Amino acid sequence: MASYLVTGGAGFIGSHVVEALVARGERVRVVDNLSTGRSENLVHIDGVDLVIGDLADPAVANGAVEGVDYVVHLAALPSVPGSIKDPLAWNHANVTATLSLLVAAQRCAVKRFVFASSSSVYGNVATLPVTEDMLPEPISPYALQKLTGERYLRLFYDLHGLETVSVRYFNVFGPRQDPASAYSGVISLFARCLIEERAPTIHGDGEQTRDFTYVGNVVDGTLRACVAPGAAGQVCNVSCGGRVSLNALFRTMRAMTESRVEPEYTEPRVGDVRDSYADITRARELLGYEPAVFLEEGLETTIAWCRLRAS
Ligand code: NAD
Ligand code: UD1
């Protein structure tokens, strides 16, 4: 049995990581300030040590890593538009907290530190799919903050020998993604609108594309990154390895929900990347990763969860 710290474990992706670790019989501590996460996301999981605190506080970070083998650092404010509105608050959560945790992890000599980075670091690239050796061109504070986190991880590996891995997630969706906030991921927002027969909003012409990735796939990629030999110091895409436009996504979800609503088109969102689609060769080679759940199956599961929640 190994001991894992999952930061942001009360959030959407974090709660799935915790669930998978507990199912394997690992010991799990969660540290979360409940800014976007909810303790209810963990109530169905036995034996989790939940600590409420802000990881940007060095005392919280030091306590968090004590006695831990692996750190899975998911705590962050994930919204791109939110980071444009309030870059300081987003920087606190996405950069200061990451640095504070790295310092603590180095002091405690943890075995490995895995960081949830983002496809947004690539910005608007000239060629798709994106590979990790392309030059990142962040176009929002959130993307820049994630890239800064990656660079800090690499520095701590080079300077101190702390084993670090950054996994770049691509538009993750699934049960427990909270549709309550306007900052939520688009699939959770579409699902809620369609179930309630309300018109969802599409920003721009809807022809922007995303490599939507079911949450179970990123949990698998992340846990592989904790132990894969040869991954230390690396950055790695984790996605489904395909892309779909917002218009096509909407049509698929409308058919699945048997809804008749039409979307409302509004202005494109500032800071929005036009297209996002990953080459996952490195994840395959380095982590032995292979996506197991594809878009349609993931959407069915997510819509079923949303229906249950709405009832
Ligand atoms: P989420 O908002 O559900 O989870 C983030 C968690 O971090 C929340 O529980 C929140 O309360 C906690 N948190 C925030 N600031 C904190 C702080 N200072 N100290 C302690 N806890 C703090 O978001 P999510 O979608 O589950 O994202 C998890 C991670 O994955 C984030 O790092 C995000 O940037 C990254 N990511 C997400 C996606 C996606 O599509 N959802 C894609 C790429 C990367
Ligand atoms: C998402 C994640 C971010 C992650 C990034 C890359 C969230 C909240 N954001 O950002 O953490 O790093 O993927 O993996 O999980 N849209 C609409 N209507 C809506 C909402 C969104 O048309 O109601 C459009 C957006 O303009 C965008 C696309 O849908 O073009 C996706 O938006 P969103 O789900 O917010 O994700 P990203 O900004 O791509």
Side-chain angles (χ1 to χ4, degrees):
M1 184 199 273
S3 171
Y4 284 75
L5 166 67
V6 182
T7 74
F12 158 49
I13 301 171
S15 63
H16 286 274
V17 169
V18 171
E19 205 172 61
L21 285 169
V22 169
R24 281 188 193 181
E26 313 289 13
R27 208 167 30 239
V28 182
R29 176 183 301 148
V30 167
V31 178
D32 198 301
N33 68 356
L34 305 183
S35 53
T36 58
R38 296 143 54 97
S39 50
E40 299 88 87
N41 283 338
L42 296 171
V43 287
H44 64 292
I45 313 169
D46 283 335
V48 179
D49 171 21
L50 172 61
V51 179
I52 314 292
D54 182 346
L55 287 156
D57 176 348
V60 172
N62 282 329
V65 296
E66 223 171 85
V68 155
D69 296 313
Y70 301 99
V71 174
V72 180
H73 179 42
L74 303 172
L77 288 174
S79 163
V80 173
S83 76
I84 295 172
K85 225 170 167 180
D86 192 350
L88 271 180
W90 259 248
N91 197 77
H92 177 87
N94 296 347
V95 178
T96 309
T98 300
L99 181 56
S100 158
L101 193 63
L102 273 170
V103 170
Q106 181 226 332
R107 191 177 301 131
C108 257
V110 303
K111 288 185 180 150
R112 194 170 278 184
F113 186 115
V114 173
F115 171 60
S117 186
S118 163
S119 61
S120 62
V121 301
Y122 289 107
N124 285 317
V125 294
T127 52
L128 292 169
V130 289
T131 54
E132 295 85 348
D133 51 12
M134 288 177 172
L135 187 69
E137 295 280 4
I139 60 167
S140 66
Y142 170 81
L144 180 60
Q145 291 155 9
K146 284 291 166 182
L147 183 61
T148 305
E150 286 187 6
R151 294 284 160 87
Y152 266 125
L153 259 77
R154 178 68 207 203
L155 263 183
F156 272 66
Y157 177 61
D158 291 340
L159 292 175
H160 307 296
L162 175 69
E163 288 206 2
T164 61
V165 186
S166 294
V167 274
R168 290 178 178 164
Y169 299 159
F170 284 65
N171 289 74
V172 188
F173 72 98
R176 297 202 286 277
Q177 190 167 33
D178 187 0
S181 148
Y183 285 154
S184 275
V186 67
I187 289 180
S188 67
L189 295 173
F190 278 8
R192 181 146 110 161
C193 284
L194 287 164
I195 289 167
E196 295 173 359
E197 286 288 334
R198 287 186 293 109
T201 302
I202 292 185
H203 296 285
D205 64 4
E207 286 306 303
Q208 66 267 45
T209 57
R210 293 290 185 275
D211 188 344
F212 290 108
T213 307
Y214 185 69
V215 64
N217 298 324
V218 302
V219 169
D220 180 53
T222 304
L223 297 187
R224 286 173 180 276
C226 290
V227 292
Q234 298 290 322
V235 171
C236 203
N237 292 340
V238 170
S239 84
C240 213
R243 68 181 173 127
V244 65
S245 72
L246 267 282
N247 286 328
L249 172 75
F250 174 73
R251 285 193 297 272
T252 303
M253 292 182 70
R254 186 170 61 175
M256 283 177 175
T257 51
E258 295 175 343
S259 165
R260 300 174 67 171
V261 297
E262 294 292 337
E264 278 171 10
Y265 287 85
T266 61
E267 289 301 298
R269 238 171 39 183
V270 180
D272 225 16
V273 167
R274 180 70 183 173
D275 296 302
S276 179
Y277 166 35
D279 182 315
I280 52 173
T281 307
R282 186 181 288 181
R284 287 193 168 106
E285 291 176 357
L286 210 60
L287 310 180
Y289 166 80
E290 199 60 57
V293 178
F294 289 89
L295 183 63
E296 297 230 342
E297 184 187 348
L299 287 176
E300 295 282 11
T301 308
T302 305
I303 289 168
W305 179 82
C306 289
R307 279 195 198 286
L308 206 66
R309 196 169 184 258
S311 62

